[in-house]
Amino acid sequence: PCNQRHSLRPPRRIPLLSLFGASNETPQDTSLLALDDRFILRDIVEYIAEEGNFLSLLTEPLDIMDIKASLSLDELKEAQEATRTVRGSKDVLTAFVLLKQKLSESGILISDRRWRQCTKILKARAWLDGHVAADVEHMVALVPALWIDPKDKKTVERIVYDIACPLFLQAVEMEDQAHELVSSMPAPEH
């Protein structure tokens, strides 16, 4: 019965392998910021734009049972262990300090928790690339972890690319210029 006294059990550690969430908006209530901060990697999923993909959405059967995992639990644990052995370097630490400074100057403040998780993302990217040591270029993988507000995503991307791989920054800038050019063109007459 509800009125019986229950003894409180001490907290237990439970290993969490992964957690996924979806939302239509970022939290505005400050009481949710700590929870939101625990979702490290973020992406924005836009509505389907291409007509062919939209038609597939409408006509193709989606059978969840047909979706097969490509990674077993043991393989995931092995990968996690392997990423722990990836080494860093003084150059990477220097780049982290510079990245934190540039983000702060742009008004983007990242929690200590998130920075700590970024080291794991960096090591995972290096491991996926077949490296035993992380390099500054691997920091491009940090973009989805370093923006909190969607309006800051482009700024974060530019700052990270400028530090980690200036060639990526040039490509993003060229893409932006192409979008501006296309949007400034007159609409075709029918």
Side-chain angles (χ1 to χ4, degrees):
C2 293
N3 59 2
Q4 283 185 342
R5 289 187 124 182
H6 294 280
S7 62
L8 293 177
R9 295 182 180 162
R12 293 186 305 170
R13 289 185 66 88
I14 298 175
L16 178 65
L17 296 176
S18 62
L19 178 65
F20 296 85
S23 177
N24 291 333
E25 59 187 32
T26 56
Q28 303 304 312
D29 183 350
T30 56
S31 68
L32 296 174
L33 294 179
L35 173 65
D36 183 58
D37 195 47
R38 284 165 170 79
F39 288 91
I40 302 301
L41 297 172
R42 302 161 185 271
D43 202 2
I44 298 170
V45 180
E46 303 288 346
Y47 288 124
I48 296 173
E50 295 181 20
E51 185 177 310
N53 291 338
F54 179 68
L55 291 175
S56 293
L57 170 76
L58 298 176
T59 59
E60 298 293 322
L62 177 63
D63 188 354
I64 299 298
M65 303 313 280
D66 287 343
I67 299 172
K68 304 286 187 239
S70 59
L71 191 65
S72 72
L73 185 56
D74 287 337
E75 290 170 325
L76 177 62
K77 288 178 182 178
E78 287 173 22
Q80 288 174 329
E81 189 57 40
T83 61
R84 288 185 189 100
T85 66
V86 172
R87 296 182 314 274
S89 70
K90 187 174 182 176
D91 289 343
V92 169
L93 291 175
T94 301
F96 262 106
V97 171
L98 179 60
L99 181 58
K100 183 177 191 262
Q101 178 186 21
K102 287 189 173 229
L103 289 171
S104 293
E105 288 169 0
S106 294
I108 300 169
L109 301 176
I110 306 300
S111 72
D112 294 339
R113 173 188 303 111
R114 188 168 290 276
W115 282 117
R116 181 71 177 181
Q117 293 298 325
C118 282
T119 63
K120 294 177 182 181
I121 294 167
L122 180 73
K123 288 181 172 191
R125 174 63 187 258
W127 177 78
L128 286 169
D129 286 349
H131 297 183
V132 295
D135 192 357
V136 173
E137 286 187 6
H138 292 124
M139 293 178 83
V140 297
L142 301 181
V143 172
L146 291 174
W147 62 269
I148 308 303
D149 190 321
K151 70 176 177 47
D152 294 333
K153 184 179 179 186
K154 200 70 155 167
T155 302
V156 168
E157 183 179 66
R158 289 173 183 276
I159 292 170
V160 170
Y161 289 173
D162 184 42
I163 293 169
C165 187
L167 188 60
F168 279 20
L169 178 59
Q170 289 177 345
V172 167
E173 289 172 345
M174 290 172 67
E175 181 184 33
D176 289 346
Q177 290 170 359
H179 284 293
E180 285 178 28
L181 182 63
V182 168
S183 66
S184 68
M185 294 175 66
E189 294 181 25
H190 294 284

